[in-house]
Amino acid sequence: DAKTTQPNSMESNEEEPVHLPCNHSTISGTDYIHWYRQLPSQGPEYVIHGLTSNVNNRMASLAIAEDRKSSTLILHRATLRDAAVYYCILLNSGGSNYKLTFGKGTLLTVNP
Amino acid sequence: EPEVTQTPSHQVTQMGQEVILRCVPISNHLYFYWYRQILGQKVEFLVSFYNNEISEKSEIFDDQFSVERPDGSNFTLKIRSTKLEDSAMYFCASNEGRISGANVLTFGAGSRLTVL
């Protein structure tokens, strides 16, 4: 599986935007970029995914670099409920299994 | 919104005992997974299941583990003889199984297993 690199932790203030970076310099042309998060004492939760173009949904935005070697998950207005571990994961469209391989992720702390 | 349901939420067992963790995946999903997370560590893949058979398993998923889809709705993980190191959160997940890297996994809330 292609690897991703994320900062161990980040801190934000409530109601401010948060930009969570992810490097994936060995990404292949058929790898989708997925973001999941894990709130305290809960299971992982899907946030957003993309292939080449930037994506928006009700939870977040995903900005993908033109060369696709990095991406940024954007939370437009952080809330206390967004405090979680955020995982950036590559998922290959050529696979038949679609299992996710989790790294350590980024622990996001949101200050009131 | 459809959910993956797991039971029990917490189970305490003695070392050497058999444990069965149960999951009800989302009804139209075709791929099923078990993951585990030891306290303070990463979420680790255990096994995936498709078309009534294991499609992939990790090194963790040894002979002490088994999975089954006994009916049209449940997906179970059995640990035959639990060890202290099996203490962890176990997460079930499912996805639609479309042939695409855009597949999204939906996870359950987890079952906490404590082995004494």
Side-chain angles (χ1 to χ4, degrees), chain B residues 14-68:
Chain B
Q14 295 291 324
M15 192 169 53
Q17 294 297 303
E18 177 182 285
V19 160
I20 297 176
L21 305 178
R22 290 182 169 79
C23 170
V24 179
I26 293 172
S27 62
N28 64 337
H29 283 189
L30 301 177
Y31 272 94
F32 313 114
Y33 307 81
W34 283 101
Y35 285 78
R36 80 170 186 191
Q37 187 174 33
I38 295 170
L39 187 63
Q41 297 189 23
K42 294 190 294 186
V43 178
E44 300 174 290
F45 168 77
L46 291 179
V47 67
S48 60
F49 191 85
Y50 171 71
N51 201 25
N52 279 320
E53 59 183 27
I54 291 173
S55 51
E56 187 173 348
K57 61 183 180 180
S58 71
E59 291 177 354
I60 303 167
F61 194 88
D62 61 21
D63 292 344
Q64 293 299 313
F65 291 89
S66 63
V67 289
E68 194 177 33

Side-chain angles (χ1 to χ4, degrees), chain A residues 72-90:
Chain A
T72 303
L73 178 70
I74 302 165
L75 307 178
H76 295 286
R77 288 183 69 212
T79 68
L80 296 178
R81 197 194 172 275
D82 291 321
V85 179
Y86 286 79
Y87 301 99
C88 170
I89 303 170
L90 301 183

